[in-house]
Amino acid sequence: MTETEPPDRRRRISLRTSRMEALSDGIFAIAATLLVLDLTIPAVTSRDVGHQLAMQWPTYVAYMVSFATIGTAWLNHSVITEYLDRADAILLRLNLALLFFVSVLPFPTHMLAEYLSNEGAERIAVTVYGLNLLAISGFIAIVWHYALWQRLVTKDNSEADVRALTTKLDPSLASYAVVIGIGLWRPGIAVALYFAIALFLFIPFRTVLREARSRRRS
Amino acid sequence: MTETEPPDRRRRISLRTSRMEALSDGIFAIAATLLVLDLTIPAVTSRDVGHQLAMQWPTYVAYMVSFATIGTAWLNHSVITEYLDRADAILLRLNLALLFFVSVLPFPTHMLAEYLSNEGAERIAVTVYGLNLLAISGFIAIVWHYALWQRLVTKDNSEADVRALTTKLDPSLASYAVVIGIGLWRPGIAVALYFAIALFLFIPFRTVLREARSRRRS
Amino acid sequence: MTETEPPDRRRRISLRTSRMEALSDGIFAIAATLLVLDLTIPAVTSRDVGHQLAMQWPTYVAYMVSFATIGTAWLNHSVITEYLDRADAILLRLNLALLFFVSVLPFPTHMLAEYLSNEGAERIAVTVYGLNLLAISGFIAIVWHYALWQRLVTKDNSEADVRALTTKLDPSLASYAVVIGIGLWRPGIAVALYFAIALFLFIPFRTVLREARSRRRS
Amino acid sequence: MTETEPPDRRRRISLRTSRMEALSDGIFAIAATLLVLDLTIPAVTSRDVGHQLAMQWPTYVAYMVSFATIGTAWLNHSVITEYLDRADAILLRLNLALLFFVSVLPFPTHMLAEYLSNEGAERIAVTVYGLNLLAISGFIAIVWHYALWQRLVTKDNSEADVRALTTKLDPSLASYAVVIGIGLWRPGIAVALYFAIALFLFIPFRTVLREARSRRRS
């Protein structure tokens, strides 16, 4: 379909993708950086500031899980926009819905850090946090599947590449759903698992293997 | 007019549009993300944190209306810049006036969330909020009409496209003006209507219809 | 000099300008938007919230002067980068020094809003504020004169264009210096004059005249 | 390797670099600007606001060291991305790890400003701060060495250019490590040395010399 369009129309549409990328990069960057405002400094009433800083470990864990989650969401988002040839009105709105859940993440992160040692509140915080992570992953998958369905991706990608990204996005959805269930019962374990998922998504096992293989070949 | 200019002058002018877009994307992204700082965490004095979180519903409503309004303003703004061929000194300043009202939106949003259950203050908050939404819509319409008047848009757009955008921008102005009036009398209803307008602008009825029609044809 | 360089070197250098523009747009956008965090909401202890909001007028004045100043600084900066053909290591650092004074502006703005009704503190706040505005204008002029001196601007600009920008940047420096002097003696008048300067720089008298003239000719 | 790839693959890969640059510029800009939130205004209880503002000097020192450090990190980062021809999955993640330490810098900066006059806390703050500066420098060096190792840099750079950047990045690592050691023993001196390193990295001695030499030749 793209080939038959006049050249100028293509330029206009690629420009639309550029602003979608710019807004997304802005919101990813701000959400990731605003997290730091939750890291508060204990007052120096006593001498053991070091101890008090160490006692704030739930804040640091929440910070790191959220940063890693935003980081991996950005990585997946940037892979999607590389395949994107153009955007349409619905894709832009699905992307805004994704950005809504990215920009709101500092709120459950703050909640998690605050409530992590309180039994009743902890369960609520961990569940809200998990639902937010699920929504981010879910809307990334929706944006990707919508783009495939509407053929907004470039044609020159191999089927293998497209399938690889699809098989990468969908399992993380299932794992978040499972961990939300675990969190209702054992909130502490759920936090550890969210950290594990973030690390697993962050470390590029697949790429390391592929690089090693292509290196051996050449 | 553009065709007779030397090639380098065109490059320079398109660059000017790119910085206007970059600043705009930055301010839209930051205003949308700063809204999250208003979502505060109730202290865990009692066990019913869930109840206290639920009682904060005005904050969540204000957050969602503001995010959706900034989102739709960005959508309209990105459509305008796609038609823009170049900018002039007045357009850049009209755009800065628009960005002023975008960047100030977290203030009436915070006011709305804080005053929504208080009778006297609620009316002021809803009115100030409505005036801010009106100013955002108004300056988007002004930027668009100025660009049309000064022929800063690309020539290759069909008349139909340009008219479509115009007929989309102007009615939202009228509806905001009406709801401000309603808000003076019934503030609660006005908030519900602002939410309805944001949702109506966000869901792309027109595009869904056009897509369906073009699909049937091919 | 640029014509004799290999094509790839030119690409690399123009890319350097693009990152300088991106960082600058980011810092201008964030500094302008962070100002909103100073607009605080009075508590609803009494009924007269409207009166209390109106009493906060120094905050609104400080907000508007700072936003307009950042806006005009951005306008001048974007004109400079349009003339720029490439950057060098010193220009990037002079630009960072400019961005330092842009990013620090929310601090004296907050000071001005807080101290504006207090006699002793007001003088300090107005002076610090004025020095910050002077530093922003000063570094914009330094960046521009350095770029001219090192011939980092594109060759195809008419002498008239370059002189026009120079004669626009330098007078604002002198006016800030004068107003800082006035502020030591009459702080209130200085604030009004900063507002007047910002408005005068914001409204494009020169362009309106030129547009009118070119319109009459064609 | 790049020459043998199909043209479209090159375009897709260069696009990936553009989003990595956009996110990086965003996080550098926000981290640098969020620092201003630490500059608090003393209350006007007494007349000597000027004295109280002057007493806040540790806050200003911390602000300036952090801004200069983020500025020089951005300068080095922008030089690296100019040499970069394309990114791979591991480079993007190493860059995210760098951005993590950039975005967290406002936390130890706040700690340093708060604890600088308190004997016990000062040592902890200076050490944590130094480790953060070391991590930023370290990950910039890692990103650069990884890009060289994987041949992600453009081929047309002279060996001399590449070596020049390498010899510039590595010594700052060593100096941070030494100053962390000094800080355990004399925290105040370490802060002065961090300021000296930031200034030394900020002032472009090498470029000034090279410019002078090339000027003499022509």
Side-chain angles (χ1 to χ4, degrees):
Chain A
M1 196 191 273
T2 12
E3 286 84 337
T4 58
E5 283 175 6
D8 188 76
R9 182 151 183 94
R10 288 202 58 183
R11 187 185 59 81
R12 186 145 60 79
I13 279 161
S14 79
L15 212 153
R16 198 184 288 175
T17 312
S18 83
R19 284 211 58 185
M20 170 184 149
E21 290 179 23
L23 187 82
S24 304
D25 283 328
I27 287 186
F28 277 112
I30 301 155
T33 318
L34 279 188
L35 293 169
V36 82
L37 298 180
D38 278 354
L39 303 179
T40 50
I41 313 285
V44 276
T45 44
S46 64
R47 272 292 174 88
D48 54 350
V49 168
H51 177 71
Q52 284 182 50
L53 281 169
M55 287 294 288
Q56 289 188 340
W57 66 265
T59 315
Y60 308 140
V61 168
Y63 181 82
M64 277 188 290
V65 177
S66 291
F67 194 95
T69 304
I70 290 178
T72 50
W74 176 81
L75 283 171
N76 287 331
H77 193 267
S78 69
V79 172
I80 289 173
T81 57
E82 279 191 18
Y83 286 110
L84 267 188
D85 186 52
R86 56 206 174 91
D88 67 13
I90 295 170
L91 189 87
L92 290 181
R93 281 156 169 93
L94 292 175
N95 190 56
L96 279 173
L98 164 64
L99 295 178
F100 174 80
F101 287 108
V102 170
S103 78
V104 88
L105 188 62
F107 176 56
T109 304
H110 188 35
M111 213 191 280
L112 191 69
E114 204 77 8
Y115 293 167
L116 206 56
S117 49
N118 181 290
E119 205 191 320
E122 189 185 43
R123 185 162 287 115
I124 293 167
V126 170
T127 306
V128 172
Y129 189 76
L131 289 169
N132 200 339
L133 299 186
L134 182 69
I136 292 173
S137 288
F139 270 98
I140 284 183
I142 288 170
V143 166
W144 175 238
H145 284 290
Y146 177 80
L148 283 182
W149 178 52
Q150 288 287 314
R151 293 186 194 154
L152 301 170
V153 296
T154 49
K155 285 226 170 125
D156 53 288
N157 298 304
S158 67
E159 285 291 306
D161 278 7
V162 167
R163 237 178 305 126
L165 186 57
T166 308
T167 56
K168 198 181 150 203
L169 291 176
D170 296 345
S172 67
L173 268 177
S175 57
Y176 282 128
V178 167
V179 180
I180 289 170
I182 293 171
L184 290 171
W185 175 56
R186 296 289 289 271
I189 290 170
V191 174
L193 288 171
Y194 289 133
F195 199 29
I197 294 172
L199 278 183
F200 184 79
L201 293 173
F202 196 78
I203 297 167
F205 298 105
R206 195 185 297 271
T207 311
V208 172
L209 282 173
R210 195 174 49 203
E211 292 271 320
R213 233 178 299 143
S214 79
R215 187 157 295 248
R216 217 180 306 138
R217 228 179 295 150
S218 65
Chain B
M1 196 190 274
T2 13
E3 287 83 338
T4 59
E5 282 176 6
D8 188 76
R9 180 148 186 96
R10 288 202 57 184
R11 186 185 59 81
R12 186 146 59 80
I13 278 161
S14 77
L15 213 153
R16 199 185 289 176
T17 312
S18 82
R19 284 211 59 183
M20 170 185 150
E21 290 178 24
L23 188 82
S24 305
D25 283 327
I27 287 185
F28 277 112
I30 300 155
T33 317
L34 279 188
L35 294 169
V36 83
L37 298 180
D38 278 354
L39 303 179
T40 50
I41 313 286
V44 278
T45 45
S46 63
R47 273 292 174 89
D48 54 351
V49 168
H51 178 71
Q52 284 183 50
L53 282 169
M55 287 294 288
Q56 289 189 339
W57 66 266
T59 316
Y60 309 140
V61 169
Y63 181 82
M64 278 188 290
V65 177
S66 290
F67 194 95
T69 304
I70 290 177
T72 50
W74 176 82
L75 283 171
N76 287 332
H77 193 266
S78 70
V79 173
I80 290 174
T81 58
E82 278 192 18
Y83 286 110
L84 268 189
D85 186 51
R86 56 206 173 91
D88 67 13
I90 295 169
L91 190 88
L92 289 181
R93 281 156 170 94
L94 292 174
N95 189 56
L96 278 174
L98 163 64
L99 295 178
F100 174 80
F101 288 108
V102 170
S103 78
V104 89
L105 188 63
F107 176 55
T109 304
H110 188 34
M111 213 192 282
L112 192 68
E114 203 77 6
Y115 293 167
L116 207 56
S117 49
N118 181 290
E119 206 191 321
E122 188 186 43
R123 185 161 287 116
I124 293 167
V126 170
T127 306
V128 172
Y129 189 76
L131 289 170
N132 200 339
L133 299 186
L134 182 69
I136 292 173
S137 287
F139 269 99
I140 283 183
I142 289 170
V143 165
W144 175 237
H145 285 290
Y146 178 80
L148 282 182
W149 178 52
Q150 287 288 314
R151 294 185 193 156
L152 301 170
V153 297
T154 47
K155 285 224 170 127
D156 52 288
N157 298 304
S158 66
E159 286 290 305
D161 278 8
V162 167
R163 237 179 304 126
L165 186 57
T166 307
T167 57
K168 197 181 150 202
L169 292 177
D170 296 346
S172 67
L173 269 178
S175 57
Y176 281 128
V178 168
V179 180
I180 289 170
I182 293 171
L184 289 172
W185 175 55
R186 296 287 290 271
I189 290 170
V191 175
L193 288 171
Y194 289 133
F195 198 29
I197 294 172
L199 278 183
F200 183 79
L201 293 173
F202 196 78
I203 297 167
F205 299 106
R206 195 184 297 272
T207 311
V208 172
L209 282 173
R210 194 174 49 202
E211 292 272 319
R213 232 178 300 143
S214 78
R215 186 158 296 250
R216 217 181 306 140
R217 227 179 296 151
S218 66
Chain C
M1 195 191 273
T2 11
E3 286 84 338
T4 58
E5 283 175 4
D8 188 77
R9 181 149 186 97
R10 287 202 58 183
R11 187 184 60 80
R12 186 145 60 79
I13 278 161
S14 78
L15 212 153
R16 197 184 290 175
T17 312
S18 82
R19 284 210 58 183
M20 170 185 149
E21 290 179 23
L23 187 83
S24 304
D25 282 328
I27 287 185
F28 278 112
I30 300 155
T33 317
L34 278 188
L35 293 169
V36 83
L37 298 180
D38 278 354
L39 303 179
T40 50
I41 313 286
V44 277
T45 44
S46 63
R47 271 294 174 88
D48 54 351
V49 169
H51 178 71
Q52 283 183 51
L53 282 169
M55 288 294 288
Q56 289 189 340
W57 66 266
T59 315
Y60 308 140
V61 169
Y63 181 82
M64 277 188 290
V65 178
S66 290
F67 194 95
T69 305
I70 290 177
T72 49
W74 176 82
L75 283 170
N76 287 331
H77 194 267
S78 70
V79 173
I80 290 173
T81 57
E82 280 192 17
Y83 286 110
L84 268 189
D85 186 52
R86 55 207 173 91
D88 67 13
I90 295 170
L91 189 88
L92 290 181
R93 281 158 171 92
L94 292 174
N95 189 55
L96 278 174
L98 163 64
L99 295 178
F100 173 80
F101 288 108
V102 170
S103 78
V104 89
L105 189 62
F107 176 56
T109 304
H110 187 37
M111 214 191 279
L112 192 68
E114 203 77 6
Y115 293 167
L116 207 57
S117 49
N118 181 290
E119 206 190 320
E122 189 185 43
R123 185 162 287 116
I124 293 167
V126 170
T127 306
V128 172
Y129 190 76
L131 289 170
N132 200 338
L133 299 186
L134 183 69
I136 292 173
S137 288
F139 270 99
I140 283 183
I142 288 169
V143 166
W144 175 237
H145 285 289
Y146 178 80
L148 283 182
W149 177 51
Q150 287 289 314
R151 295 188 192 153
L152 301 170
V153 297
T154 48
K155 285 223 169 127
D156 51 289
N157 299 305
S158 67
E159 286 290 305
D161 279 7
V162 167
R163 237 179 304 126
L165 185 57
T166 308
T167 57
K168 197 180 149 202
L169 292 177
D170 295 346
S172 67
L173 268 178
S175 58
Y176 282 128
V178 168
V179 180
I180 289 170
I182 293 171
L184 290 172
W185 175 56
R186 295 287 290 271
I189 290 170
V191 174
L193 288 171
Y194 289 133
F195 199 29
I197 294 173
L199 278 182
F200 184 79
L201 293 172
F202 196 78
I203 298 167
F205 299 105
R206 195 185 298 272
T207 311
V208 172
L209 282 173
R210 194 175 49 203
E211 292 272 319
R213 232 178 299 143
S214 78
R215 185 156 296 248
R216 216 179 310 141
R217 228 179 295 152
S218 66
Chain D
M1 195 190 273
T2 11
E3 286 84 339
T4 58
E5 283 176 4
D8 189 75
R9 181 150 186 96
R10 287 201 59 183
R11 187 185 60 81
R12 185 145 61 80
I13 278 160
S14 78
L15 213 152
R16 198 184 289 176
T17 312
S18 82
R19 285 209 59 184
M20 170 184 149
E21 290 180 22
L23 187 83
S24 304
D25 282 329
I27 288 185
F28 278 112
I30 300 155
T33 317
L34 279 188
L35 293 169
V36 83
L37 299 180
D38 277 354
L39 303 178
T40 50
I41 313 286
V44 277
T45 44
S46 64
R47 272 293 174 88
D48 54 350
V49 169
H51 178 70
Q52 284 182 51
L53 282 168
M55 288 294 287
Q56 289 188 339
W57 66 266
T59 316
Y60 309 139
V61 169
Y63 180 81
M64 278 187 290
V65 177
S66 290
F67 193 95
T69 304
I70 290 178
T72 49
W74 176 82
L75 283 170
N76 287 331
H77 193 266
S78 70
V79 173
I80 289 173
T81 58
E82 279 192 16
Y83 287 109
L84 268 189
D85 185 51
R86 55 207 174 91
D88 67 12
I90 296 170
L91 189 87
L92 290 181
R93 281 157 171 93
L94 292 175
N95 189 57
L96 278 173
L98 163 64
L99 295 178
F100 174 80
F101 288 108
V102 170
S103 77
V104 88
L105 189 62
F107 177 56
T109 303
H110 187 35
M111 213 191 281
L112 192 68
E114 203 78 6
Y115 294 167
L116 207 56
S117 50
N118 181 290
E119 206 191 320
E122 188 185 43
R123 185 162 286 115
I124 293 168
V126 171
T127 306
V128 172
Y129 189 76
L131 289 170
N132 200 339
L133 299 185
L134 182 69
I136 292 173
S137 288
F139 270 98
I140 283 183
I142 288 170
V143 165
W144 175 237
H145 285 290
Y146 178 80
L148 283 182
W149 178 52
Q150 287 288 316
R151 293 185 193 155
L152 301 170
V153 297
T154 48
K155 284 223 171 127
D156 52 289
N157 298 304
S158 68
E159 286 290 305
D161 278 7
V162 167
R163 236 179 305 126
L165 186 57
T166 308
T167 57
K168 198 181 150 203
L169 291 177
D170 296 346
S172 67
L173 269 177
S175 58
Y176 282 128
V178 168
V179 180
I180 289 170
I182 293 172
L184 289 172
W185 174 56
R186 296 287 291 270
I189 291 170
V191 174
L193 288 171
Y194 289 133
F195 198 28
I197 294 172
L199 278 183
F200 184 79
L201 293 173
F202 195 78
I203 297 167
F205 299 105
R206 195 186 298 271
T207 311
V208 172
L209 282 174
R210 194 174 49 203
E211 293 272 319
R213 235 178 298 144
S214 79
R215 186 157 295 248
R216 217 179 306 140
R217 228 179 295 151
S218 66

